[in-house]
Structures are given as structure tokens and as C-alpha cells.
Amino acid sequence: MLVVMSHHATSADVDAVCATIKAMGYTPAPMPGAQRTAVGLLGNDGRVDDSLIAELSGVAKVIHVSNPYKQVSREWRPENTIVTIAPGVAFGGKDVPVIAGPCSVESEAQILESARAVKAAGGKALRGGAFKPRSSPYSFQGLGKKGLELLALAKAETGLAIVTEAMDDEGAHLVAEVADCIQIGARNMQNYSLLKTVGRIGKPVLLKRGMAATIQDFLLSAEYVLSEGNPNVILCERGLRSFDSASRNLFDLTAIPVVHQLSHLPIVADPSHGTGRRDKVMPMSRAAVACGADGLMIEMHPQPDRALSDGAQSLTLEQFRDLMVQLRRVAEAVDRSIA
Ligand code: PEP
Ligand code: MN
């Protein structure tokens, strides 16, 4: 529930609303806005009786948030949330930042060469997993702490922001020391204790959609992070499991406008995992920007054929350069920009 105060409400009126919400056993969340203040009511799981609040002095109207997710909904916050992960790297505004890099951090030479290419082509952030959630326990699991050190080295040299995945609570604290944005992978989208942990850490979070998650599941997972006091969540569409093996996943681009309608959070697209095939990444990246994605996450590798994970969907450095040139044109056509 959201209590919208009138323009002339005093701070004593706002205090009285907060006190009433507390007395009802819920948590008030005052949100001062440019025009007027709203007070959110947190802690309910179902409709709340608003009779004690609606009549208080200074209350203009009471809005009942109809979705099970509250703080991530557009009803709660009509304007877009802009998530800034590092100076000049903001998701949710006019700019469409590109996060790129290899699937996994493999070696110093590999990550530095990737980082230089990302920077030179105009990418804003470097990706690369140090902790890898692999479907098989026998596949490369990532370099762990060493991988984080190599990402820190790449950041020191290029100034790129770092986006890298955390798989568990312990890893989240380690990742937070190096990353500008903590990635939660598709397989962990419903790891609620991990979501609470990254909510408490407070760093920006890139939350990937689970491979069998509905948009409602997805937004409820984001709600876990916001409910711990961290508003900086970037959603990421990365494709769904389907019956069709023609592509690795079914890349659900409809999710982009659907999420924009339901939520104020930015949503980026990952056509690399979404398609699983290098030659499909370019067309689907263009499509993602055209349909309103607030950013892109792209896998690329200096030698994709030698990659320890996801080589088939990784662009060469040259293909990545070409992609950035083409995306600028698409962005311009839809009134966005790629710096
Ligand atoms: C990744 O980004 O490399 C990754 C493991 O992605 P997902 O969680 O979407 O499978
Ligand atoms: Mn990958």
C-alpha cells in the first residue's frame, strides 16, 4: 500500500502517517518526491485495511499495490530507477551501456586482452566469471579468488566497471570487494538467502532471469533485494528453456517491454546466453536495443575456440568491435545512445 500525501502536507502529517502504520504492525517507508511525499507500507502479504490512514490530515490518496511484488512495481514508483554502478555507467536512462567480456576469467593475458578490446570498442563494463555455475561438476569451475584478482588488475588498467557473479554468501562478500555490480546467475535467481545477502551488502546487483521463471517470479526475486534496503537492481533477460533445440535458449525479448510496464527497474538483455550461437548474437543484440533494453551483456573472447566455457556463443574481438558500431546506429534510431 502506498499513501500519497497532498502538496501541502506538513512533516507532522507525514510523521502521523508513519506512526499509524507502525501502530498497525507494519513498517513505514517515507519517500520524499519532487512534487509530494509518499509513504509506503511494508510487511503486508495481502490487502491492508486503510480506514485508519485514509482520513488522516494531509493524506491525498491511498493506492493499493495490486501485484505481489511491491517496491519493484511501477505503482510504487512511477519514474524509472537509474542504477549507476560506477561513474558514467548508468542503466535506466537514455544511455545503453554495454557490459562485455569472456564467460570465465581464464588467465591474466586473456582477461587483459578482452578488457582492452571492450574499452577500445566503447564498452562500459567488463564481465567475466571467477565463480562459475556449471551444469556439470567436471566442467571448469572458474579461478575463484585468483579470478577476482585478475578482474581487479583489468579494472586498474582500463578503468572499466566490473560485473561478476557470486554463487553463495561467502563468495558474495569476496566479489563485493572487487565488483562494481554483483551478478546473480539464472540458476540462483531463486536462491533467496543469497538474494537477501546481496540486498544487505548494498552494491548494485545484476539479477538474471531463471531459465524457467515467469516474469512474476523474476520480479519477486528482485523484491527480495529491495526489501533488504538495496534499490540498485538491474534485471537481465537471458533466455528460457524451451522444447526447441535450434537455439540454446528461447530469447524472450517480449520480457523487455513487459518488465518496463510492470516495474521501474532497468532491464538489460544477454543475447549470448539467449541464443547460444555467435552468429545469432549480432541480430538479437540489435533487436534488444530496438525493443528498449537498458543495456546489453555480451560474451566475447580473444580466442573463442579455446574458451574454457561458452566459446560457441562468444564473439571474437573483431566481431565485438563491429557489433558496437552497428548498435550505435540502432540506438540512435530509437532515441537512445551508446557512448
Ligand atoms: C554467465 O553469465 O556466464 C552465466 C552463467 O549466465 P546464466 O546465469 O544466465 O546462465
Ligand atoms: Mn557464460
Side-chain angles (χ1 to χ4, degrees):
M1 193 170 88
L2 201 59
V3 184
V4 181
M5 306 300 292
S6 73
H7 298 288
H8 44 262
T10 63
S11 58
D13 291 339
V14 175
D15 291 347
V17 168
C18 292
T20 306
I21 291 174
K22 268 191 209 148
M24 289 163 70
Y26 301 111
T27 307
M31 295 175 281
Q35 299 297 322
R36 44 189 170 182
T37 295
V39 182
L41 178 148
L42 296 171
N44 62 309
D45 182 17
R47 196 179 167 95
V48 171
D49 176 4
D50 64 15
S51 53
L52 288 176
I53 291 170
E55 300 307 321
L56 290 175
S57 161
V59 172
K61 63 176 169 181
V62 175
I63 299 173
H64 290 273
V65 178
S66 50
N67 296 304
Y69 42 85
K70 308 291 173 200
Q71 298 185 64
V72 308
S73 74
R74 275 247 182 243
E75 291 161 299
W76 192 269
R77 183 184 153 93
E79 66 272 28
N80 287 350
T81 285
I82 297 186
V83 179
T84 302
I85 67 169
V89 191
F91 296 82
K94 190 173 156 89
D95 195 27
V96 183
V98 176
I99 306 161
C103 180
S104 307
V105 180
E106 298 170 3
S107 68
E108 180 173 330
Q110 176 245 21
I111 197 67
L112 288 180
E113 195 179 347
S114 302
R116 288 176 195 133
V118 171
K119 172 92 178 174
K124 292 278 186 77
L126 178 68
R127 62 148 290 142
F131 300 101
K132 293 304 302 178
R134 304 306 301 281
S135 297
S136 162
Y138 307 117
S139 300
F140 177 58
Q141 303 286 308
L143 297 180
K145 280 188 197 171
K146 175 73 187 163
L148 293 179
E149 286 166 24
L150 296 177
L151 286 168
L153 200 64
K155 177 175 174 159
E157 187 189 306
T158 60
L160 289 169
I162 301 294
V163 180
T164 191
E165 178 162 357
M167 298 208 318
D168 50 36
D169 286 10
E170 192 192 345
H173 288 99
L174 292 172
V175 163
E177 289 173 21
V178 169
D180 297 284
C181 179
I182 305 173
Q183 177 174 326
I184 301 297
R187 293 161 187 78
N188 268 319
M189 188 203 82
Q190 287 176 309
N191 181 339
Y192 300 118
S193 78
L194 181 59
L195 294 173
K196 286 185 188 174
T197 297
V198 295
R200 284 193 288 265
I201 288 174
K203 279 226 161 170
V205 173
L206 182 127
L207 177 64
K208 295 189 111 183
R209 182 177 178 185
M211 52 188 95
T214 64
I215 302 270
Q216 180 164 305
D217 297 334
F218 192 21
L219 293 177
L220 280 168
S221 287
E223 185 83 15
Y224 266 89
V225 181
L226 270 77
S227 72
E228 293 294 332
N230 183 353
N232 295 309
V233 175
I234 303 162
L235 302 166
C236 178
E237 170 59 46
R238 49 77 73 205
L240 305 171
R241 271 276 159 87
S242 89
F243 54 85
D244 191 346
S245 57
S247 58
R248 180 179 178 183
N249 288 301
L250 187 66
F251 190 33
D252 180 15
L253 279 185
T254 313
I256 308 280
V258 169
V259 164
H260 279 154
Q261 184 184 8
L262 298 174
S263 174
H264 52 83
L265 295 175
I267 177 163
V268 308
D270 170 356
S272 304
H273 293 86
T275 64
R277 291 276 147 203
R278 185 179 309 144
D279 62 334
K280 308 296 184 292
V281 171
M282 172 77 91
M284 296 317 289
S285 298
R286 289 191 294 231
V289 172
C291 77
D294 297 303
L296 284 180
M297 173 173 260
I298 304 288
E299 287 189 343
M300 43 89 91
H301 193 286
Q303 291 172 290
D305 298 336
R306 300 249 177 118
L308 297 181
S309 59
D310 286 349
Q313 67 195 33
S314 298
L315 301 183
T316 64
L317 306 190
E318 201 182 355
Q319 285 174 323
F320 178 68
R321 212 178 313 132
D322 189 22
L323 175 86
M324 291 298 290
V325 171
Q326 296 212 23
L327 291 184
R328 283 194 187 94
R329 293 191 211 131
V330 179
E332 204 181 319
V334 293
D335 290 327
R336 302 293 288 269
S337 62
I338 294 182

